[in-house]
Amino acid sequence: MLKRRQRALLLVVLRKLLTCAICAIALVALFSVHGHVFPSSKLPGASEPLKFPSVRQHEIKYQRVGAEQSWKQELVPPHFSKPPVSPHKLWKPPPNRDFFPCIDPSPNHTAPAESQGYLLVHTNGGLNQMRAGICDMVAVARIINATLVIPELDKRSFWQDSSNFSDVFDEDHFINTLANDVKIIKKLPEELATATKGTRQFKSWSGLEYYLNEIAGMWEDYEVIRAAKSDSRLANNHLPPDIQKLRCRACYQALHFAPHIEAMGKLLVERMRSHGPYIALHLRYEKDMLAFSGCTHGLSPAEADELRIIRENTEYWKVKEINSTEQRHKGYCPLTPKEVGILLTALGYPSNTPIYIAAGEIYGGDSHMADLQSRFPMLMSKEKLASVEELEPFLSHASQMAALDYIVSVESDVFIPSYSGNMARAVEGHRRFLGHRKTISPDRKAFVRLVDKIEQGILREGRKFSNRIIELHRRRLASDI
């Protein structure tokens, strides 16, 4: 009987000991899990703690739901002490893949033939649209044996810039550089000032035969032909190699900015370089772009209405009714400043990265820049890098201000456009010509769908999200992430 009681007592003691052990293990596991919530915790194997963003970015709220209490995190992913990709790769230029500039004339190239007459050119659009048009008209002048009169810049566009050719470009350099290709003069001879001009809006994307047959045929009736527009008037393909090379010479060798613009641009580059390697971000989040494209994601109803009115009142913008949501899902909208911040974080760029904002006035100002600014405080612009006195000669001339952004963008360590417009394509092409400098062109269509999932709570920012973004952009043109 005594032995039975001893055995029963022993079993009770063992059960209590086992219960205590299980409770102790559970408590240790519980504390180890919650330990990672606090900033003082370290990632396994990491030498530094996880760097959380400011309280404004990474807010932890305590909520009571009925009788239950729960933690809710509003996550903006931290910049990890170890980026998703190595710092070297973030700045490393892509391989040239054995491509190199092919710009020199062929052995068969000849001096310009006898001029049949004069070609007047009225350019249209913003700076880079005009640049491309000028290069096309140099090639057209060669094709139709014309003397090219220095083109007239657009003074009637959205920007209302009164600049002349010599205010934006180095006129003498342009004429001298192309002397062996096309005869160029500064003004139409006085005796022809009142002559009847054959004004024509050249057909878009026209090839060699169009200019040789239809346009050159106008010399029989006119001494002066006037091109009413210059943008996209020459085909990109199926042209003789020497004509294509001439376009390149005009763009990259002849069409330099005026000396005062070049000097100011170089000064801005030097001041950016003083902060280390930098990104030039062409943030096309300006009023004209948003009004034209009909993109209103993230804007207030009043802002969206203002842009709609601008679009309706701009006569030469043909499309008036635009579905903003459809535009964005098709990848036709520029990324918002907030979306750019998410992209740069996901690609692995640290929060202290110097970023030059190559743009005009951002629509909505600080209210729309707050998210990007909170992630990347070192946001620079020409207005921040230069004094009012230094910028004063440029302030009332949109084309000259855009030229400064162009110079700083071409010289940047990494160029990222938020939209694939004229500026983005021009800078990307120039950077390739100068040695395949790193350019990352966002896949807007795929990227915004992932951003939408974050906003819907389906995805969270972090390492997995970052890996998806890196893989998405790994093979984007001119990038090597």
Side-chain angles (χ1 to χ4, degrees), residues 9 34 106 117 148 160 177 206-207 219 224 278-279 296 303 347 376 378 397 443 449 460 476:
L9 183 61
H34 284 283
S106 71
L148 177 66
Q160 299 291 304
T177 302
S206 296
W219 293 131
V224 180
Y278 72 92
I279 292 173
T296 59
E303 289 172 327
L347 291 176
F376 295 92
M378 290 188 67
H397 302 286
D443 184 337
R449 292 184 178 183
R460 289 173 53 177
R476 294 292 288 177

Side-chain angles (χ1 to χ4, degrees), residues 99-110:
F99 287 101
F100 57 90
C102 184
I103 198 168
D104 295 330
S106 71
N108 298 325
H109 184 74
T110 60

Side-chain angles (χ1 to χ4, degrees), residues 1-11:
M1 190 70 175
L2 183 61
K3 287 184 178 180
R4 287 181 181 178
R5 287 180 180 177
Q6 288 177 342
R7 288 175 184 171
L9 183 61
L10 182 61
L11 286 172

Side-chain angles (χ1 to χ4, degrees), residues 112-121 137-151 174-175 178-179 181-189 192 219 223-227:
E114 182 180 353
S115 176
Q116 298 294 302
Y118 298 88
L119 176 62
L120 295 178
V121 174
M137 289 300 112
V138 167
V140 168
R142 171 79 184 196
I143 293 169
I144 64 174
N145 294 329
T147 295
L148 177 66
V149 180
I150 286 290
F174 181 71
I175 294 171
L178 296 172
D181 299 295
V182 176
K183 184 178 180 181
I184 304 174
I185 59 175
K186 294 183 180 182
K187 292 182 179 180
L188 192 68
L192 293 174
W219 293 131
E223 289 184 78
V224 180
I225 297 174
R226 181 180 181 85

Side-chain angles (χ1 to χ4, degrees), residues 167-235:
D167 297 320
V168 181
F169 303 108
D170 189 331
E171 196 171 63
D172 291 329
H173 178 80
F174 181 71
I175 294 171
N176 295 333
T177 302
L178 296 172
N180 292 328
D181 299 295
V182 176
K183 184 178 180 181
I184 304 174
I185 59 175
K186 294 183 180 182
K187 292 182 179 180
L188 192 68
E190 290 185 9
E191 64 270 20
L192 293 174
T194 58
T196 303
K197 302 172 180 64
T199 301
R200 190 80 170 265
Q201 185 165 309
F202 299 164
K203 291 181 181 178
S204 299
W205 307 113
S206 296
L208 199 67
E209 290 185 359
Y210 169 80
Y211 285 104
L212 288 175
N213 297 332
E214 293 195 36
I215 303 304
M218 295 174 66
W219 293 131
E220 296 177 6
D221 302 311
Y222 304 99
E223 289 184 78
V224 180
I225 297 174
R226 181 180 181 85
K229 285 189 174 183
S230 66
D231 66 323
S232 308
R233 303 297 124 176
L234 187 62

